């Protein structure tokens, strides 16, 4: 078995690719969390302003303030729609990164299996070779003993 066979090289490259895919996945998960937090903040902010508008309307509000608040809420609604869209896109990126990591992990497992089989074959070969050597030594000894005078 070579110290660094092509299979070992492939296994190392596959592990590096898997690790890189894992880092990419982790980055995408982090971005997804940030987008989700931004969305939650926007939702909270919008709810707070809607409550303020509702309270102001109960107490009486001038038309200019009402109009400005409604325009602001409309812009918050647009920001919320954009954030929902961004979150959907980010979730798709996360799913894609998960699939990529899984594929890389499967490749590593396949190369690991091949390496284990190669090692098992090498072990069996070495064991057989050792058994042949032992058998040859025993046979040589028996032949020498039988060739000695009075060995019967």
């Amino acid at each position: 078995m070579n110290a660094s066979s092509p299979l070992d090289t492939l296994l190392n490259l596959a592990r590096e690719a898997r690790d890189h895919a894992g880092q990419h996945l982790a980055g995408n998960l982090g971005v997804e969390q940030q987008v989700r937090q931004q969305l939650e903040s926007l939702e909270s902010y919008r709810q707070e302003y809607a409550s303020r508008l509702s309270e102001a309307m109960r107490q009486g509000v001038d038309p200019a303030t009402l109009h400005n608040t409604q325009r602001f809420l409309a812009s918050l609604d647009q920001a919320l729609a954009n954030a929902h869209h961004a979150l959907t896109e980010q979730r798709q990126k996360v799913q894609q990164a998960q699939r990529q990591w899984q594929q890389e992990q499967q490749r590593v497992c396949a190369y690991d299996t091949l390496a284990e089989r190669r090692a098992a074959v090498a072990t069996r070969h070495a064991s057989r070779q050792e058994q042949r050597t032992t058998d040859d030594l025993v046979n040589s000894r028996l032949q020498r003993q039988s060739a000695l005078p009075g060995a019967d």
Side-chain angles (χ1 to χ4, degrees), residues 47-136:
Q47 187 176 21
E48 180 183 330
Y49 264 84
S51 295
R52 285 183 187 177
L53 176 60
S54 180
E55 181 62 31
M57 288 176 69
R58 276 195 294 272
Q59 294 178 1
V61 63
D62 64 280
T65 303
L66 176 64
H67 178 69
N68 288 339
T69 305
Q70 287 174 333
R71 279 187 34 215
F72 182 69
L73 286 173
S75 69
L76 278 177
D77 288 339
Q78 183 59 47
L80 279 166
N82 292 342
H84 278 288
H85 180 71
L87 183 59
T88 299
E89 285 183 351
Q90 190 58 38
R91 284 182 176 156
Q92 290 172 350
K93 288 179 182 180
V94 166
Q95 289 173 351
Q96 182 181 2
Q98 285 174 329
R99 285 190 299 272
Q100 182 65 35
W101 181 86
Q102 288 169 342
Q103 289 171 352
E104 297 298 341
Q105 179 62 25
Q106 287 174 345
R107 184 173 291 126
V108 167
C109 289
Y111 289 144
D112 269 338
T113 299
L114 289 174
E116 288 170 6
R117 288 179 185 166
R118 183 186 65 183
V121 166
T123 300
R124 280 195 307 272
H125 178 72
S127 178
R128 288 180 187 149
Q129 186 63 37
E130 185 179 330
Q131 185 63 46
R132 279 190 211 117
T133 303
T134 302
D135 290 347
D136 288 346

Side-chain angles (χ1 to χ4, degrees), residues 1-92:
M1 192 161 56
N2 297 342
S4 181
S5 73
L7 182 57
D8 293 332
T9 302
L10 287 173
L11 183 57
N12 287 334
L13 290 173
R15 285 179 178 150
E16 288 175 14
R18 180 208 47 207
D19 294 346
H20 178 73
Q23 291 169 350
H24 185 68
L25 173 59
N28 276 310
L29 286 169
V31 170
E32 179 187 11
Q33 182 178 356
Q34 287 175 344
V35 171
R36 193 177 329 106
Q37 287 172 346
Q38 289 171 350
L39 177 61
E40 289 170 359
S41 293
L42 280 171
E43 287 171 341
S44 174
Y45 198 52
R46 197 227 181 268
Q47 187 176 21
E48 180 183 330
Y49 264 84
S51 295
R52 285 183 187 177
L53 176 60
S54 180
E55 181 62 31
M57 288 176 69
R58 276 195 294 272
Q59 294 178 1
V61 63
D62 64 280
T65 303
L66 176 64
H67 178 69
N68 288 339
T69 305
Q70 287 174 333
R71 279 187 34 215
F72 182 69
L73 286 173
S75 69
L76 278 177
D77 288 339
Q78 183 59 47
L80 279 166
N82 292 342
H84 278 288
H85 180 71
L87 183 59
T88 299
E89 285 183 351
Q90 190 58 38
R91 284 182 176 156
Q92 290 172 350

